[in-house]
Structure formats: structure tokens, C-alpha cells
Amino acid sequence: MKRPAVHSALIHIAICDDEKYMSDYIRVMASDFFRKKNKEIHLRTFLSGEELLSYSGPIDILFLDIQMKNMDGMETARKLRADRFRGSLIFITVLKEMVFQSFEVQAYDYLVKPVDKKQFEKTMDRLYTSMCSASGDSLLVQKGYEGRIIPKDEIVFCEIIERKIYLNLASCEVVDYYERIENLETKLDEYFFRCHRSYLINLKHLKGYKNGTAYMDNGKKVPVSRMRSKEFSSVVLQYMKNM
């Protein structure tokens, strides 16, 4: 299982492409990018999906070619996610239309061959900002090429409808963007609790709880599933003790 080294100062990067010249090209650009950020990296290359899947070390960022011999990049990505890989995945492809399949494996972005250096740096700037904010007190919300940093304390609760996340803020504003709730869960802190398959609530904004309903301080009501009600009560009691 490849786990992201979230709390490590060292960023672990993997490049998987069956064309060595492309791996070398990405390696040089990634090294240059993080050298400018004064960030130490560990970089490893793989020539096939099979070789990548046999690696058990940590990976924070993975550059993965879609069109490879034998096991292609999409199948490789599915197997990685099934093995609970939570690193940031960036596809490298010659076919833009293949990218529509990337939603199911939670790809962060894709780069079209021949990879343009400016586009590479643009993607990496967004990803690096996201990685920095995810480890702190803020959350980076990415919509297309625009990013917005939201303090976690301002989030009252998060709701998912289909593939879209809706952040309900203390200001009564609702911010929506595309992300899986499982991914969002890993970026939030211990004050957030998954009370329902479609909801994450911020305990700091919890006003009351009764008969399977959480009452939030912005006046909204959030359902608590029966499966999670016992754990929810325990978590709330622990939170109140620590206040």
C-alpha cells in the first residue's frame, strides 16, 4: 500500500511511463520546480504499471502515463486506489478524451503530451498550494484553474450531492466544487465527524443533537445515520470534555 507521507518534510514523487525519455523529462521539471520551492524530494521512476504496483514505499505525487503496454495507466490507477492509495495522481496522456475516465480514480489533473513546461508548472503550483494548505488550518478549494483558501473553522458542515461537495460556511455562504467526500475527510482535522455517508460536520459548530438530527449554529439541521449515532454521541461527549 502506497501511503502519502503527509507529515514528512520530504515529498515522495513517482513517475510511471514506459517511455524513458518522458520519465526523464518529467523528472527534470519536477526537480526544478521543487528546487525553486526549497523543498526536498525523493524521486523514483517506473517503466510499467506492474512495476509500480509491486512498490510498497510512500508516494505523495504520482505522474502516471495512461497509454502503456500490458497494464495501462487507468487500470493501474484503479488497482492503486483499491489498495487505498491516497496520494495526488496526475495523468500523462496523448488522448484528451481519456481524461473523462479520470474521475473514478480521483485524478488531480492531467498533462497532455508533449508536456508543456508552463502547463506543468501551473498544475504543480496548484497542487503544492493544496498540499501546504491541507496540512494546516485551511482548506484549498479548487474550481477549474481557480483556487480559494477557506479556514476550516468557518466550515459548519460539508454535504455531498452526486459528485459535488457543498461547504456550508458560518457566513451562510455555500461553496461547491468537485471532490470525493473520502478525499475531503483526509484533509480535515479531528473536529470534523462523518455523521452520515453524505455529511461531515464541524463539532465546533454543533449546537445540539436529538433523535438522529444534529442542530448546527447556523440554523441548519444535519441527519445522523443510525449506524453512526452511537459513535457520534461518544465523540460529542469527548469533545465537550476537552473544551
Side-chain angles (χ1 to χ4, degrees), residues 185-203:
E185 213 172 353
T186 65
K187 299 175 184 177
L188 299 173
D189 53 39
E190 71 274 14
Y191 296 111
F192 286 83
F193 181 79
R194 181 86 173 270
C195 63
H196 185 280
R197 66 178 182 178
S198 301
Y199 291 92
L200 274 163
I201 69 166
N202 187 346
L203 296 174

Side-chain angles (χ1 to χ4, degrees), residues 4-148:
V6 177
H7 301 295
S8 173
L10 183 70
I11 296 177
H12 297 264
I13 299 172
I15 303 166
C16 183
D17 196 306
D18 58 3
E19 296 177 310
K20 188 178 182 299
Y21 80 91
M22 181 54 66
S23 287
D24 291 342
Y25 181 54
I26 298 292
R27 174 192 280 270
V28 169
M29 288 197 293
S31 298
D32 286 347
F33 176 84
F34 283 105
R35 186 169 56 250
K36 291 173 187 173
K37 300 287 184 186
N38 294 314
K39 195 73 180 173
E40 189 180 357
I41 64 170
H42 176 269
L43 210 154
R44 190 181 180 103
T45 58
F46 303 88
L47 292 172
S48 69
E50 292 86 348
E51 186 184 350
L52 172 64
L53 289 168
S54 69
Y55 177 65
S56 59
I59 298 174
D60 298 304
I61 303 171
L62 171 61
F63 295 94
L64 181 59
D65 184 22
I66 291 183
Q67 290 81 32
M68 293 190 292
K69 297 170 186 174
N70 300 322
M71 187 184 297
D72 66 19
M74 199 61 71
E75 186 182 351
T76 302
R78 288 191 192 103
K79 288 181 181 293
L80 282 170
R81 291 302 191 200
D83 196 32
R84 303 178 79 85
F85 168 61
R86 288 182 169 175
S88 297
L89 171 61
I90 298 173
F91 277 125
I92 304 166
T93 179
V94 292
L95 301 171
K96 287 184 181 179
E97 52 269 27
M98 288 292 291
V99 176
F100 292 112
Q101 297 178 37
S102 66
F103 281 111
E104 66 175 284
V105 289
Q106 304 113 57
Y108 179 80
D109 205 347
Y110 67 94
L111 299 168
V112 179
K113 293 181 181 181
V115 179
D116 177 70
K117 189 176 181 181
K118 285 185 178 178
Q119 188 59 50
F120 177 88
E121 290 183 347
K122 198 172 185 178
T123 292
M124 292 307 296
D125 268 325
R126 289 191 294 118
L127 177 55
Y128 185 65
T129 301
S130 177
M131 291 174 76
C132 291
S133 67
S135 61
D137 297 323
S138 298
L139 179 73
L140 178 74
V141 172
Q142 197 72 47
K143 293 183 73 171
Y145 290 109
E146 295 182 6
R148 174 177 170 183

Side-chain angles (χ1 to χ4, degrees), residues 143-172:
K143 293 183 73 171
Y145 290 109
E146 295 182 6
R148 174 177 170 183
I149 294 176
I150 298 173
K152 292 174 184 175
D153 280 354
E154 288 188 15
I155 303 170
V156 178
F157 67 92
C158 317
E159 180 181 9
I160 185 164
I161 300 174
E162 294 179 349
R163 289 186 300 184
K164 219 171 192 182
I165 294 283
Y166 293 82
L167 302 179
N168 284 258
L169 306 184
S171 64
C172 293

